[in-house]
Amino acid sequence: MLEQEIFNIKTEALKNISHSSSIEDLKFWRVQYLGRKSRLNEILKGLKDFSLEKRQKIGPLANTIKKEIADFWEQKNRELERSIDWEKEKIDITAPGKKVSGGHLHILTQVQNEIEDIFIAMGFEIADGPEVEKEYYNFNALNIPPHHPARDSQDTFWLKSDENKGTDKILLRTHTSAAQVRYMEKNFPPFRIIVPGRIFRREATDATHEHTFHQFEALVVGDDVNMRHFKHLAEEFFSRFFGKKIKIRLRPSYFPFVEPGFEFDISCTVCGGIGCAACKKTGWLEVGGAGMVNQEVFRAAGYLPRQYQGFAWGFGIERLAMMKYKIDDVRLFHSGDLRFIRQF
Ligand code: PHE
């Protein structure tokens, strides 16, 4: 019975192999007749359960036939390979390619990279700090003690935790300025750094407000750094970023960690300062805050009083991206809407 089956397998296998007209077919038959799960293999694997006499008969027979099928297969394979028309198989390297569609960097990442490149070209180093921050670095070290009214202007996400007691509570940082003292505790002037990063504010969202967004902090400290340096640097940076001449205007303002403090505007990127709808006919666009680093901040960092001076400035990345790419709703950045994302 088993012997007959083995002979039948052989007949069938040789027939199918010899009728194969392509290498693909042939590969299929190899799996069928010689593969791990083929009937022949199963028979060989099952031999151990047979009597000695049966084993001595079936074993060599199955092996011989397996070898015959394999040899026949090899021969047929060589034959088919020889008959391949290699002329036809040649690849036409001049043929137009198929378009492969892939992902790409999110517009915010692209803008962040662009900003970093401009600052690196001007000799800046990139630093960072944690998004989950201590109250100390976000506020106290920046001359914003508890109950200071400036805390109200930055509605804070406080975090619940065992450590969140006493004086060292933790929070989601409300600005990248939180990285200033962290950096200065470990580094001495002169230095020029930027700190790109995500920040959080407990605010209602609308087309121009998000609870989560990104800022860039720049901090330049040395012996005689002053606001003229800031103005020049900012004009240079924004001109490179927008690819056209941009002017800076400072307006006196108050941030506890700078003295004097300013808000700064850039000349309107749409009309160049003449007055249009984008700048509400003023010729200027509000961009961020800046000022000379308050000596109290240097004191918190452990620097000797009056030894150094420097400036700091901060601005939102979303806002810059919105100006450059004419995006009218800040919520689009985190919407995950591919129709938005694929435009950039
Ligand atoms: N940290 C301030 C804010 O988020 C901006 C700022 C940075 C102001 C540096 C002055 C100097 O509003």
Side-chain angles (χ1 to χ4, degrees):
M1 271 272 294
L2 205 49
E3 282 164 283
Q4 189 53 48
E5 192 188 346
I6 294 173
F7 283 118
N8 287 348
I9 292 174
K10 174 180 164 182
T11 322
E12 197 191 297
L14 297 194
K15 192 177 89 198
N16 283 327
I17 289 171
S18 67
H19 286 169
S20 295
S21 55
S22 70
I23 303 240
E24 283 75 52
D25 283 358
L26 206 53
K27 283 194 175 135
F28 173 79
W29 294 123
R30 185 176 57 186
V31 176
Q32 290 293 304
Y33 294 114
L34 302 167
R36 218 159 20 89
K37 290 190 180 136
S38 64
R39 179 73 186 124
L40 258 187
N41 227 25
E42 268 176 15
I43 292 172
L44 283 166
K45 264 193 288 182
L47 279 180
K48 57 183 188 322
D49 302 326
F50 296 152
S51 64
L52 179 65
E53 190 196 353
K54 205 166 172 199
R55 245 183 309 184
Q56 280 173 344
K57 238 161 74 194
I58 302 291
L61 176 68
N63 272 320
T64 316
I65 292 211
K66 195 174 168 187
K67 174 103 181 17
E68 278 174 21
I69 298 176
D71 288 347
F72 190 71
W73 189 93
E74 285 298 339
Q75 192 192 328
K76 181 74 184 177
N77 190 39
R78 259 175 308 206
E79 215 173 275
L80 278 182
E81 265 179 357
R82 247 178 284 130
S83 69
I84 289 177
D85 183 351
W86 291 109
E87 260 325 292
K88 264 207 271 171
E89 299 288 318
K90 268 191 191 159
I91 293 169
D92 177 4
I93 56 167
T94 65
K98 281 202 192 115
K99 193 169 180 223
V100 181
S101 76
H104 63 76
L105 294 178
H106 189 279
I107 181 63
L108 267 185
T109 313
Q110 293 180 41
V111 170
Q112 180 171 327
N113 289 347
E114 209 179 318
I115 297 172
E116 287 179 8
D117 287 347
I118 297 174
F119 276 106
I120 287 169
M122 298 196 288
F124 279 69
E125 226 178 275
I126 299 176
D128 66 6
E131 292 172 0
V132 173
E133 184 53 283
K134 290 182 174 168
E135 174 189 22
Y136 174 74
Y137 289 109
N138 196 82
F139 290 127
N140 308 48
L142 294 174
N143 196 31
I144 317 176
H147 310 301
H148 192 287
R151 290 199 181 196
D152 299 340
S153 66
Q154 301 195 347
D155 282 316
T156 308
F157 287 111
W158 293 95
L159 298 181
K160 277 195 188 137
S161 102
D162 287 346
E163 293 164 47
N164 215 353
K165 288 198 239 48
T167 55
D168 231 2
K169 297 201 279 188
I170 52 175
L171 46 76
L172 296 180
R173 67 174 172 194
T174 61
H175 51 183
T176 44
S177 304
Q180 287 189 15
V181 170
R182 274 190 183 277
Y183 182 86
M184 291 193 282
E185 279 175 347
K186 297 206 176 77
N187 297 275
F188 278 96
F191 59 76
R192 284 177 276 196
I193 59 163
I194 47 166
V195 184
R198 184 153 49 174
I199 63 155
F200 311 85
R201 305 250 172 116
R202 201 163 57 89
E203 310 190 300
T205 58
D206 62 27
T208 53
H209 295 88
E210 256 288 23
H211 49 72
T212 302
F213 56 107
H214 297 77
Q215 280 188 333
F216 249 93
E217 191 84 5
L219 183 64
V220 177
V221 181
D223 293 332
D224 58 359
V225 177
N226 62 52
M227 281 311 279
R228 284 193 330 222
H229 296 131
F230 161 78
K231 198 159 179 256
H232 173 75
L233 174 75
E235 285 186 344
E236 188 62 30
F237 166 74
F238 287 105
S239 299
R240 290 195 198 181
F241 181 76
F242 287 106
K244 58 174 108 164
K245 183 88 197 100
I246 299 280
K247 287 209 284 274
I248 299 288
R249 176 174 82 168
L250 296 175
R251 283 177 289 113
S253 185
Y254 175 71
F255 301 94
F257 38 96
V258 285
E259 179 58 35
F262 305 92
E263 267 172 81
F264 67 94
D265 303 332
I266 60 174
S267 52
C268 179
T269 55
V270 177
C271 65
I274 302 161
C276 69
C279 57
K280 301 200 183 77
K281 305 241 180 292
T282 63
W284 297 96
L285 299 169
E286 246 182 78
V287 171
M292 293 298 292
V293 178
N294 193 312
Q295 290 295 324
E296 284 302 309
V297 177
F298 287 147
R299 199 166 59 88
Y303 295 171
L304 291 174
R306 310 251 148 232
Q307 198 171 19
Y308 300 112
Q309 53 186 51
F311 64 77
W313 57 317
F315 57 84
I317 306 182
E318 279 82 352
R319 183 151 164 75
L320 278 202
M322 288 167 82
M323 288 179 190
K324 184 159 176 175
Y325 297 100
K326 316 242 181 312
I327 298 163
D328 60 8
D329 193 328
V330 67
R331 292 168 294 193
L332 286 166
F333 289 110
H334 294 143
S335 65
D337 187 337
L338 290 176
R339 290 169 305 177
F340 169 74
I341 290 169
R342 287 192 176 131
Q343 292 175 62
F344 306 101

